[in-house]
Amino acid sequence: MPPGSALNEGDADQSNAPAEDAAAAPGAAPDGADMPNAAVDPDEDVLPKRGRITPFNGAVLPDGAVPTLEKPGPAKPVASDGLSPSGGVNVLDRMGAELPALPAEKPFTGKPDEAYGAYQRGYYLTALDLALPRAQLGDRAAQTLVAEIFAQGLGVARNDKDAAFWYGQAANAGDPAAMFKYAILLMEGRQVPRDKARSEELMRKAADLGNASAQFNYAQLLTIDKPGPAGLKAALPYYENAAIQGIADAQYAISQIYLNVDGIPEEKRARARDWLVRAASAGFDTAQLDAGIWMVEGIAGPRNLEQGFRWMLIAANAGNVVAQNKLAHLYINAIGTRPNPVEAAKWYVLSRRAGLKDAALEDFYLGIGEDQQRAARAAANLFRAMRG
């Protein structure tokens, strides 16, 4: 992933934690036990105050005194609760993954495809009956449709072997969607012998023919094969084409490349934040986190504290643990919002439960009243319960 990616973010400020953070503070339960889940009575979970307390005075910071939201170091993922920061986008994770919907296509004026029409309406057996004879005669679109039906088990038993066969037939016939799917099978060695060279060749051809998913994934391959600025610049045209077609991952990627890679034209660099916001608007929580940081810190554009707070809140509500940590700081320092110690403590509780520790937030939490601690824990429990 391009430099600046926030996908591998985790523990914050651990290097600055006092010695007592390495072991439990006197009278405090071990980390994880002091923060109950929704089934535990929060009134039974009161932590003692420590001597060093960060005051919360509710004052709005003067201009120029906005603290930076430095990105924390690597986290230890917590797979069980689903709230840990992403481990990062890699080619095998993203190839074939469900991606955001593409922009609306232009009205079709050609001959309707009855098989595909039946598929769109959910009449999968009818679609198969109509497509299979055409597929056997070499119709590449019909071959791809048959492969999709078998791959997803739509109206028939799922059959990965038959799906791979028809994807291969359609890919060899030049269908871009089938090239992309078959390239994934070749890359992973599923139902077909693993063939990295053939996989990359098909991915490139599908990308050059305009398949958005192939464009993004071929860009990923280029960055892996050629680490560093050279690979990022080689991948940039493919990221850009995928971004234009609505792939949020690609929109995020070019925002990072435009901002961080030397030699990028200034007119492109000036659009870095625009692409980041587009990715954030598509629901990419890492882009939402970065949009919050960029706007609070004035990166790639002027500061906008209110919008920065808004994006951080959206990412936090989506379960991004780093955003939850940063949102607590925004509430404490009244950045883009009114001060709210209970909300600040709630978001800290959630991020700490996910394994993201922060010495400054720990001091803040232990410095507020026990009633506010209980209210924050109850709010955190409710948030977790509502997310299932």
Side-chain angles (χ1 to χ4, degrees):
M1 202 55 171
S5 169
L7 288 170
N8 291 319
E9 299 179 37
D11 292 0
D13 300 324
Q14 292 190 64
S15 61
N16 296 324
E20 61 265 34
D21 285 350
D31 190 72
D34 59 333
M35 296 294 179
N37 56 33
V40 178
D41 182 359
D43 290 338
E44 297 178 359
D45 182 34
V46 178
L47 292 176
K49 295 184 180 180
R50 282 209 306 245
R52 183 162 62 89
I53 296 174
T54 300
F56 181 86
N57 57 21
V60 177
L61 298 180
D63 292 341
V66 177
T68 59
L69 297 177
E70 295 180 357
K71 294 186 180 182
K76 296 179 181 178
V78 180
S80 59
D81 63 13
L83 295 177
S84 297
S86 167
V89 175
N90 62 63
V91 68
L92 293 181
D93 287 339
R94 296 303 296 176
M95 284 173 64
E98 184 175 352
L99 294 167
L102 299 179
E105 296 181 358
K106 296 180 180 178
F108 179 68
T109 57
K111 182 180 178 180
D113 186 325
E114 293 182 358
Y116 189 66
Y119 175 87
Q120 287 183 311
R121 295 192 299 274
Y123 301 138
Y124 301 121
L125 287 177
T126 300
L128 183 61
D129 288 342
L130 292 171
L132 188 56
R134 289 168 43 198
Q136 292 168 335
L137 293 173
D139 185 318
R140 67 186 190 184
Q143 291 169 340
T144 302
L145 183 58
V146 170
E148 283 289 304
I149 291 172
F150 282 128
Q152 299 183 50
L154 301 173
V156 296
R158 177 172 172 172
N159 191 319
D160 292 334
K161 184 176 181 179
D162 284 354
F165 170 79
W166 286 113
Y167 278 135
Q169 295 296 306
N172 290 334
D175 184 79
M179 288 178 178
F180 169 64
K181 292 295 183 71
Y182 198 60
I184 297 170
L185 298 180
L186 290 168
M187 177 68 71
E188 298 178 348
R190 288 191 290 116
Q191 304 300 326
V192 295
R194 190 174 188 276
D195 189 335
K196 181 176 182 294
R198 176 64 174 156
S199 173
E200 293 191 10
E201 177 191 7
L202 283 176
M203 193 68 74
R204 177 184 58 78
K205 288 182 176 179
D208 289 340
L209 287 171
N211 183 278
S213 296
Q215 289 166 345
F216 171 75
N217 285 287
Y218 186 63
Q220 294 287 84
L221 286 171
L222 289 173
T223 63
I224 292 172
D225 291 342
K226 300 170 64 176
L232 292 171
K233 288 181 179 179
L236 183 56
Y238 291 99
Y239 279 133
E240 289 173 329
N241 288 331
I244 290 169
Q245 295 196 66
I247 304 298
D249 299 67
Q251 293 168 349
Y252 178 78
I254 65 174
S255 75
Q256 304 300 312
I257 295 173
Y258 284 176
L259 179 69
N260 295 296
V261 176
D262 292 335
I264 296 296
E266 286 304 316
E267 60 271 19
K268 289 188 175 183
R269 200 178 301 279
R271 298 196 60 204
R273 185 186 283 192
D274 293 338
W275 282 111
L276 180 66
V277 170
R278 287 182 65 173
S281 299
F284 192 0
D285 70 315
T286 301
Q288 293 163 352
L289 165 67
D290 276 16
I293 294 174
W294 286 22
M295 290 185 180
V296 168
E297 295 189 353
I299 297 172
R303 275 183 168 170
N304 187 326
L305 303 185
E306 291 75 18
Q307 284 297 310
F309 171 82
R310 172 180 171 270
W311 281 119
M312 200 69 74
L313 179 61
I314 290 172
N317 277 314
N320 187 291
V321 176
V322 177
Q324 292 170 350
N325 174 279
K326 297 308 174 193
L327 188 62
H329 285 281
L330 297 184
Y331 273 118
I332 290 171
N333 293 291
I335 299 173
T337 186
R338 292 182 178 276
N340 190 326
V342 173
E343 278 295 293
K346 177 190 95 172
W347 291 112
Y348 170 56
V349 166
L350 288 165
S351 65
R352 192 176 78 170
R353 285 176 178 173
L356 183 54
K357 298 180 181 179
D358 187 315
L361 290 180
E362 182 73 8
D363 278 345
F364 159 75
Y365 178 78
L366 295 175
I368 61 177
E370 293 177 357
D371 289 344
Q372 291 179 323
Q373 289 181 3
R374 281 195 294 269
R377 290 194 299 273
N381 292 338
L382 178 61
F383 178 86
R384 290 285 295 272
M386 291 180 66
R387 284 179 59 83

